[in-house]
Amino acid sequence: MIRGDLRKMEQYFQKEIETAPLEELQKMQSERLVDTVKRVYEKVAYYRERMDQAGVKPEDMKSIKDLKKLPFTYKQDLRDTYPYGLFAVPLEEVVELHASSGTTGKQIVVGYTKHDLEIWGDICARAIVATGGSCHDKVHVSYGYGLFTGGFGLHLGAQALGATAIPVSSGNTPRQINILKDFGSTVLCCTPSYAQYIGESLHEGGDTTDQIHLRAGIFGAEAWTEQMRKEIEKSLNIKAYDIYGLTEIMGPGVAYECSEQTGMHVNEDHFIVEVINPETGEVLPEGEQGELVFSCITKEAFPLLRYRTRDIGILTRKKCSCGRTFIKMSKPMGRSDDMLIIKGVNVFPSQVESVLLELGYPPHYQLVVNRVGTMDTLEIRVELSQEMFSDAVNVLQAHERKIREAVRSTLGIAAKITLVEPKSIERSIGKAKRVIDNRQK
């Protein structure tokens, strides 16, 4: 049996909340939503202006049924108010900042009060406990630390649970494996592609899973398939669990898998999730596929309301065998915009275009994403101008090297650069076909 297979046992970090009756849960959501809307209207000028434009006042909010009256919040709103324009508390009360990059390189800045960090720790602790975790675990965190939220969320979760956090961060795989063996890590937290790589490296180095003590893994920050789950479980002899989050809402821990693994439970005491038609904004009923929209109802520093994630998913309240009553969301099935997630990194075509233009290349390009085995690969096809094109191999290699280095510096990931002849990339009267994502085929 795979270590960590806990299908016949369940634990809870905060049982009373995680198993609360729906009526009680929705009453709590309504009260917290009303309080949050009143607070952001008073404290955040940008929200007050948007609500006034929509003809909505705080007193119009009586319950979660009134949520749809509020205007949506978009990522562009976060850019327009950079860096602190959407904060609902004075900076003196903000004890931590995180950020994610946007299409133009300007970062999306989010803040946390001390209470926000306590909530973040609690919801990530719930995710760890859902894998069978306890204070006896050693949680090996191989998500990146820094402005990226990944590492800190699971770190706080381990501490909230009373488990031992091992803040390894990402990279240096031989060292990761030594720590797994020597420190006795029991829960691995990282991107699924990196977990796969750790498993491959472990076996290539002549080691076996008998030399490590892992029983479970909590993987997120990028899309991954059920086939990849099976391969990770086999290579590391663990149970692999999904976790969902985004910097703008909190970071990892917004939703998490239980042992049933038929979707991720949304922490509804802190977040309200909706599914909408991405074209019309209409709220869709349970079971229909659409864009996920989140509202924060307990965050103090950065409480976004009706934030459009662009992630496509489905919600269900079908009874779960684990006993949790929180609504479940499916794995994201894609995005309603053109952002790609490759190896846990957000990649926008416009970022590539900016790189090419800065280097003096024409803005004719395509991104080709493939999945080789369980690893995502990115190829950027770049069309050269007539003046740049050459039969000389060394000249073309110089172009490739310059673009490859600039892309790595900007995006933070490696890409294969393929140079193509002038006029060889198809032109379009409408929106250009910038992305060929073969992972979805």
Side-chain angles (χ1 to χ4, degrees), residues 8 57 99 101 142 173 207 211 221 241 299 376 385:
K8 294 186 178 180
K57 297 294 182 182
S101 62
S142 293
T173 306
D207 295 316
Q211 295 170 268
Y241 295 81
K299 282 185 71 178
D376 293 339
S385 65

Side-chain angles (χ1 to χ4, degrees), residues 31 69 82 96 99 119 128 232 269 309 315 350 352 374 394 406:
E31 292 172 352
K69 296 178 182 179
Y82 173 89
E96 190 163 307
I119 290 173
I128 297 171
I232 291 172
D269 53 330
T309 67
L315 299 177
S350 55
V352 175
T374 56
N394 63 323

Side-chain angles (χ1 to χ4, degrees), residues 30-73:
S30 293
E31 292 172 352
R32 291 178 172 182
L33 175 64
V34 170
D35 289 344
T36 299
V37 171
K38 182 176 185 296
R39 183 162 56 88
V40 298
Y41 187 84
E42 295 173 351
K43 304 290 186 180
V44 184
Y46 194 83
Y47 266 122
R48 184 163 59 251
E49 292 169 8
R50 292 289 304 279
M51 288 176 62
D52 286 346
Q53 290 170 3
V56 183
K57 297 294 182 182
E59 51 267 30
D60 296 328
M61 305 302 295
K62 308 296 184 183
S63 73
I64 54 174
K65 293 181 180 179
D66 298 313
L67 180 62
K68 60 185 178 182
K69 296 178 182 179
L70 295 173
F72 293 114
T73 304

Side-chain angles (χ1 to χ4, degrees), residues 263-277:
M264 289 174 278
H265 290 284
V266 178
N267 283 300
E268 289 189 278
D269 53 330
H270 299 295
F271 312 105
I272 300 174
V273 61
E274 305 168 272
V275 166
I276 66 167
N277 181 317

Side-chain angles (χ1 to χ4, degrees), residues 86-150:
L86 288 182
F87 282 24
V89 298
L91 278 178
E92 291 77 10
E93 296 179 29
V94 175
V95 299
E96 190 163 307
L97 294 173
H98 285 280
S100 65
S101 62
T103 59
T104 62
K106 180 169 283 191
Q107 295 177 310
I108 301 300
V109 180
V110 301
Y112 302 77
T113 64
K114 183 178 179 182
H115 182 58
D116 291 336
L117 293 181
E118 291 172 355
I119 290 173
W120 196 9
D122 286 347
I123 62 177
C124 284
R126 293 176 187 176
I128 297 171
V129 171
T131 74
S134 73
C135 61
H136 302 294
D137 273 299
K138 298 180 181 67
V139 182
H140 184 110
V141 184
S142 293
Y143 286 110
Y145 281 72
L147 290 178
F148 177 58
T149 56

